[in-house]
Amino acid sequence: QVQLLESGGDLVQAGGSLRLSCAASRRISVANTMAWYRQAPGQERELVASITPGGTSNYVDSVKGRFTISRDVRKNTGYLQMNDLKPEDTAVYYCKVAWGQVNYWGNGTLVTVSS
């Protein structure tokens, strides 16, 4: 069974940066769609960023210009670089990777941005 492990979440001041990692127990390639979601308490889970097999990256409007999604297939790891963090970015961040028709989720990593 495939497992995903997120890491990199932390407490950071507004304007700071973090890089989240998503390590997969199976090989990933450009054929695998990868995405990052986030969920704050009492709110719906939100798609933040995704990268397709064709290499196209997409972002929710609120993070455009600040966040960058990437993957390193040699390490079977995806990343979310987050710059100029704002208190509204505070949430649990989840990695999702698709193998064929099946989506796999990590357990999340907490990002807290203080003012």
Side-chain angles (χ1 to χ4, degrees):
Q1 182 171 332
V2 177
Q3 293 184 333
L4 303 177
L5 179 61
E6 301 101 331
S7 62
D10 206 347
L11 171 65
V12 64
Q13 292 183 331
S17 298
L18 289 172
R19 188 174 76 161
L20 306 183
S21 298
C22 174
S25 63
R26 290 182 61 185
R27 186 179 69 88
I28 64 171
S29 71
V30 295
N32 301 107
T33 298
M34 176 174 288
W36 287 92
Y37 292 74
R38 66 187 180 188
Q39 187 168 24
Q43 300 183 17
E44 297 181 358
R45 186 169 295 187
E46 176 187 37
L47 175 61
V48 177
S50 65
I51 184 167
T52 70
T56 300
S57 299
N58 298 284
Y59 303 90
V60 68
D61 286 344
S62 61
V63 308
K64 287 181 178 178
R66 299 189 297 120
F67 290 12
T68 303
I69 187 171
S70 64
R71 58 192 172 198
D72 185 343
V73 296
R74 297 194 309 174
K75 298 180 178 179
N76 296 325
T77 301
Y79 302 96
L80 184 67
Q81 178 68 46
M82 305 185 295
N83 298 325
D84 191 24
L85 284 162
K86 303 175 180 180
E88 65 192 63
D89 296 319
T90 295
V92 177
Y93 284 73
Y94 299 90
C95 176
K96 184 183 76 174
V97 181
W99 278 267
Q101 302 287 357
V102 182
N103 293 320
Y104 296 87
W105 292 84
N107 290 325
T109 185
L110 176 62
V111 173
T112 303
V113 184
S114 66
S115 60

